[in-house]
């Protein structure tokens, strides 16, 4: 059987069985759960996969992380799903803002689609391997806490991805495109200072202010900014600054995100920030401790894998949206500032788009939904946000696919995304992603040469250096009971 026939088999299976995964995505959408508390979402997927013959293992001491495996031998391909929601984004399936339950969570990043679409892809590939008597292993990873908590970093530290040959994943977005870009890594750290309290009016000379130390540390870091590489980002908030102006603060705390594109350089900058804290403590005669909260590594993209995904996209064709969907999307766009055309301009600038891409995007200036497939647009871009896919990408080759699940002008993590994630626009983007990942996987199982090339590139990117977890050994993920709290 040639690969075209194989590709058609997985596409047909996904078309015939789409209602299962639309229902799975909708069910997760209806019961949005926050990071580390995705009990219903993870069990819904694990139970389904178990019924389909996968063997399910819950990973380490992480409540809501699991791996579902089917098949035997090499290659072992990982399908990487997520399912956590965002706080305060409850929203009805309608194009105007109205929560279902005020203040409750909602799927503002489309992770209901991300998880269910990736399950769909893994099962489509399993059926294809089975019906064609092919060897190879399919694994689905249910990954918790992407929005907050860096679940994959803990899974990576537990060795969950170590023996994968390649990983496939996607993220709901505004365009269909694989990725050749990078993203910076991040360390999230609290610096907590301890001083000596005193009456600020009566005997200030007896006080040693922890807040002074926090302020001086921030001043020091703001000077440090000039002497770091361009990709470095350092941002902070003061999480504790004392109780009243007439009490010299005994304790104060500042919370930092420190980002850089290379893991080694990130570690170097973190050490320099720590020295600034040391200086601030010395100046104010206070002490401090460093409380590491979370971190994730820089993202690498495998270009060869991105090109395979683009080939798959071309063979599948664009997403076709109905008039009703286009109207729904336009109403959402109208609710946010800027026009569809402004959004296209932003994308052209951000991607430093080639004339060919500019011409293609120009066709969508008046469209609230972009159904067309694009080759990787971000080849030279290092995003200055971070994702825990970074840690996965330092262990195994991956290219994070995007598919159109959201109206063009809707900002990330907004009620507009929640609305689109719960209806047919999101479902279509999800199925498109499931097909692209499945067709790509079929190619990887069918022709070992692809993986040889993918691994050659991966080795060049990492320099063959083994993965080092960005989180210290003693940092453990939080635990919540099944009822949550
Ligand atoms: Zn997300």
């Amino acid at each position: 059987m040639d690969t075209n026939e194989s590709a058609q088999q997985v596409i047909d299976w996904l078309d015939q069985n789409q209602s299962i995964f639309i229902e799975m995505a909708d069910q997760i959408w209806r019961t949005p759960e926050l990071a580390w508390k995705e009990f219903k979402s993870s069990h819904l997927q694990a139970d389904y996969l178990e019924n389909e013959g996968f063997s399910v293992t819950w990973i380490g001491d992480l409540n809501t992380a699991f791996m579902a495996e089917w098949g035997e031998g090499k290659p072992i391909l990982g399908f990487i799903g997520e399912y956590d929601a965002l706080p305060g984004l409850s929203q009805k399936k309608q194009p105007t803002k109205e929560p279902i339950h005020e203040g409750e969570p909602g799927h503002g990043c489309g992770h209901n689609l991300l998880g269910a679409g990736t399950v769909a892809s893994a099962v489509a590939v399993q059926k294809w391997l089975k019906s064609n008597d092919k060897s190879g292993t399919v694994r689905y990873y249910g990954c918790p806490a992407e929005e907050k908590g860096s679940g994959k970093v803990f899974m990576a530290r537990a060795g969950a991805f170590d023996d994968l040959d390649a990983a496939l994943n996607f993220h709901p977005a505004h365009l269909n495109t694989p990725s050749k870009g990078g993203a910076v890594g991040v360390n999230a750290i609290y610096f907590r200072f301890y001083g000596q309290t005193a009456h600020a009016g009566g005997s200030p000379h007896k006080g040693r202010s922890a807040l002074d130390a926090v302020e001086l540390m921030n001043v020091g870091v703001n000077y440090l900014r000039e002497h770091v590489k361009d990709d470095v980002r350092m941002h902070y908030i003061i999480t504790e600054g004392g109780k009243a102006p007439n009490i010299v603060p005994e304790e104060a705390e500042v919370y930092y995100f420190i980002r850089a594109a290379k893991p080694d350089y990130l570690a170097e900058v973190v050490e320099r920030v720590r020295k600034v804290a040391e200086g601030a403590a010395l100046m104010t005669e206070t002490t401090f401790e460093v409380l590491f909260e979370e971190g994730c590594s820089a993202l690498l993209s495998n270009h060869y894998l991105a090109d395979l995904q683009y080939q798959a996209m071309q063979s599948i064709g664009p997403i076709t949206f109905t008039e009703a969907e286009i109207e729904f999307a336009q109403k959402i766009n109208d609710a946010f500032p800027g026009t569809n055309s402004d959004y296209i301009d932003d994308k052209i600038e951000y991607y430093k788009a080639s004339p060919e891409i500019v011409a293609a995007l120009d066709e969508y200036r008046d469209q609230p939904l972009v159904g067309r497939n694009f080759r990787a647009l971000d080849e030279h871009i290092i995003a200055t946000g971070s994702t825990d896919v970074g840690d996965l990408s330092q262990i195994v080759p991956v290219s994070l696919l995007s598919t159109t699940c959201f109206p063009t002008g809707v900002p990330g993590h907004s009620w507009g995304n929640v609305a689109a994630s719960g209806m047919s626009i999101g479902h279509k983007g999800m199925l498109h992603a499931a097909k692209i990942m499945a067709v790509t996987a079929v190619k990887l199982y069918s022709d070992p040469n692809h993986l040889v090339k993918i691994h050659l590139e991966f080795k060049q990117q990492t320099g063959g250096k083994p993965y080092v977890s960005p989180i210290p050994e003693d940092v453990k993920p939080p635990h919540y009971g099944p009822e949550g709290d």
Side-chain angles (χ1 to χ4, degrees), residues 126-194:
Q126 174 217 20
K127 303 293 178 203
W128 171 79
L129 286 170
K130 209 171 178 175
S131 63
N132 294 289
D133 227 2
K134 293 252 182 200
S135 72
T137 305
V138 185
R139 286 211 195 132
Y140 174 80
Y141 287 85
C143 306
E146 193 280 332
E147 296 294 359
K148 190 169 185 346
S150 302
K152 289 181 206 67
V153 185
F154 290 98
M155 294 167 79
R157 191 175 68 173
F161 307 120
D162 284 354
D163 58 349
L164 287 179
D165 290 300
L168 294 158
N169 60 354
F170 92 103
H171 201 292
H174 309 80
L175 292 171
N176 300 317
T177 175
S179 174
K180 290 186 178 179
V184 297
V186 66
N187 276 196
I189 304 173
Y190 291 93
F191 292 86
R192 191 162 184 85
F193 289 86
Y194 301 93

Side-chain angles (χ1 to χ4, degrees), residues 291-344:
L291 303 161
F292 189 97
E293 196 206 27
E294 60 173 288
C296 54
S297 301
L299 176 73
L300 305 171
S301 290
N302 195 278
H303 292 203
Y304 189 90
L305 189 53
D307 288 336
L308 279 186
Q309 286 180 326
Y310 182 55
Q311 284 167 23
M313 292 163 98
Q314 284 176 305
S315 69
I316 294 160
I319 306 177
T320 317
F321 291 105
T322 62
E323 280 306 314
E325 286 160 350
I326 291 169
E327 202 179 307
F328 187 97
Q330 186 59 55
K331 279 189 188 154
I332 293 180
N333 278 0
D334 290 344
F336 291 96
T339 62
N340 298 332
S341 190
D342 293 338
Y343 169 83
I344 300 290

Side-chain angles (χ1 to χ4, degrees), residues 82 84 86 108-111 114 146-147 170-172 387 406 413:
E82 296 165 14
D84 58 332
L86 286 155
C109 208
H111 292 186
L114 199 171
E146 193 280 332
E147 296 294 359
F170 92 103
H171 201 292
T387 166
F406 305 140
H413 294 190

Side-chain angles (χ1 to χ4, degrees), residues 329-453:
Q330 186 59 55
K331 279 189 188 154
I332 293 180
N333 278 0
D334 290 344
F336 291 96
T339 62
N340 298 332
S341 190
D342 293 338
Y343 169 83
I344 300 290
D345 282 334
D346 283 352
K347 285 289 158 194
I348 287 171
E349 198 185 314
Y350 180 73
Y351 289 127
K352 302 174 182 77
S354 66
E356 165 220 341
I357 302 292
V358 173
L361 281 169
D362 264 340
E363 285 173 34
Y364 287 90
R365 281 206 178 273
D366 302 320
Q367 295 289 319
L369 288 168
V370 185
R372 182 190 168 120
N373 296 311
F374 291 88
R375 62 175 168 78
L377 297 173
D378 58 352
E379 190 159 349
H380 308 291
I381 311 281
I382 297 197
T384 44
S386 309
T387 166
D388 66 2
V389 177
D391 290 72
L392 176 77
S393 80
Q394 299 278 345
I395 300 168
V396 55
V398 67
S399 158
L400 180 51
L401 172 71
S402 293
T403 59
T404 304
C405 298
F406 305 140
T408 49
V410 60
H413 294 190
S414 67
W415 66 264
N417 277 355
V418 185
S421 297
M423 51 84 73
S424 59
I425 296 173
H427 300 152
K428 284 187 175 174
M430 170 184 89
L431 284 164
H432 194 51
K435 288 177 185 174
I436 297 163
M437 292 187 287
V439 170
T440 308
V442 160
K443 288 183 184 183
L444 298 179
Y445 285 112
S446 303
D447 180 355
N449 278 324
H450 291 311
L451 279 168
V452 170
K453 287 176 184 149

